[in-house]
Amino acid sequence: MSELDGVGVMVTGATSGLGAAMAAALSAAGARVVVTSRDLARAQTAAAQLGPDALGVALDVRDEDAVGAVVEEVWDRLGGLDVLVNNAGIGMLTVNPRFLTDPQPFWAVAPDGFRDVIDTKLTGAFLVARAAAPRMVAAGSGRIVNISMSEQTMTRRGFVPYGPSGAAVEALSRVMAADLADTAVTVNLLLPGGATATGMVPDDTPPEVRERLLDPAVMGPPIVWLASPRAAGVHDQRIVATEFDAALSAP
């Protein structure tokens, strides 16, 4: 048997980047993975690439009604939900296509762009967890993993609203963990540990910068561990993927 046989996982925003890498690792470990995207065709294509046990579902995490309906659908189709990975997010490209080379001050950010990033990353994580957590509590088990970013990114010049969205997700996670402390549901944070080679990076990023980008696959080992029996009882932790192997092997 594979390590995650029988484990049902939903990864939001899982058709590319970190989400796709985590979905692939979870599926390879035996989990039945639900891939979500705003675009149904993309979700279904990504799921098909994982194998016959994966499901592709359309979901706009900003939409409260859609979130409730999808969580109910996933719960019914999987016979429950063991792990929720809140990964959905949009990056700085949506507010400044040249954010790495020409950072813009916060006052130059369009309010609609600000809201879209915050609503996707922060409000989305809140809405999906809000729909899943009561079911997990009633079932007597469940794990929520919220995907974050480095503190340097949170406070970097020109990174409004992406940086603040990550900082807010970290605060939300800590409160969620406190609220769930007396239950069998755990909440943890996971982040890559540096900039990663995803679609959030501008096309004109200099080669010397691209060479330093992390492979999104760095998220694979820690997310599989967090979904596995090995992480039973792990709660309210901030796990950095680049430091995961060293932390796991430490005495």
Side-chain angles (χ1 to χ4, degrees):
M1 292 181 61
S2 299
E3 185 173 24
L4 299 184
D5 278 354
V7 175
V9 185
M10 182 167 78
V11 184
T12 64
T15 60
S16 62
L18 301 183
M22 290 187 288
L26 290 161
S27 180
R32 191 175 187 196
V33 179
V34 177
V35 171
T36 83
S37 170
R38 293 184 190 178
D39 185 279
L40 177 59
R42 288 190 65 188
Q44 291 178 332
T45 297
Q49 293 171 348
L50 297 178
D53 289 335
L55 302 172
V57 179
L59 175 61
D60 183 342
V61 297
R62 303 168 300 176
D63 184 331
E64 177 185 349
D65 292 337
V67 167
V70 166
V71 169
E72 182 175 3
E73 176 189 355
V74 168
W75 195 274
D76 290 344
R77 294 180 71 174
L78 296 185
L81 181 61
D82 300 298
V83 183
L84 165 64
V85 183
N86 275 317
N87 171 73
I90 53 178
M92 284 298 301
L93 284 174
T94 60
V95 296
N96 179 12
R98 298 181 58 82
F99 68 92
L100 284 180
T101 54
D102 300 297
Q104 65 182 3
F106 70 88
W107 58 85
V109 175
D112 285 347
F114 183 96
R115 293 188 188 98
D116 198 18
V117 173
I118 296 295
D119 283 351
T120 304
K121 184 68 175 173
L122 174 62
T123 307
F126 161 71
L127 289 175
V128 183
R130 176 179 180 271
R135 292 176 177 270
M136 290 177 167
V137 170
S141 66
R143 303 181 188 187
I144 298 172
V145 182
N146 295 321
I147 305 306
S148 186
M149 62 189 70
S150 67
E151 293 176 356
Q152 180 183 13
T153 301
M154 294 177 190
T155 57
R156 183 173 176 175
R157 177 191 175 205
F159 267 56
V160 166
Y162 184 65
S165 76
V169 164
E170 295 229 357
L172 174 65
S173 295
R174 297 302 192 185
V175 175
M176 287 168 55
D179 288 345
L180 290 165
D182 297 327
T183 75
V185 180
T186 63
V187 180
N188 292 287
L189 284 158
L190 174 62
L191 59 147
T196 53
T198 71
M200 291 186 179
V201 178
D203 291 337
D204 61 353
T205 299
E208 61 273 16
V209 175
R210 283 194 176 277
E211 291 174 358
R212 298 196 298 269
L213 297 176
L214 297 172
D215 185 334
V218 71
M219 299 289 277
I223 195 62
V224 168
W225 179 77
L226 281 167
S228 76
R230 293 178 289 154
V234 175
H235 182 62
D236 198 18
Q237 297 300 304
R238 186 176 193 266
I239 298 167
V240 183
T242 53
E243 302 170 4
F244 176 69
D245 287 343
L248 205 60
S249 61

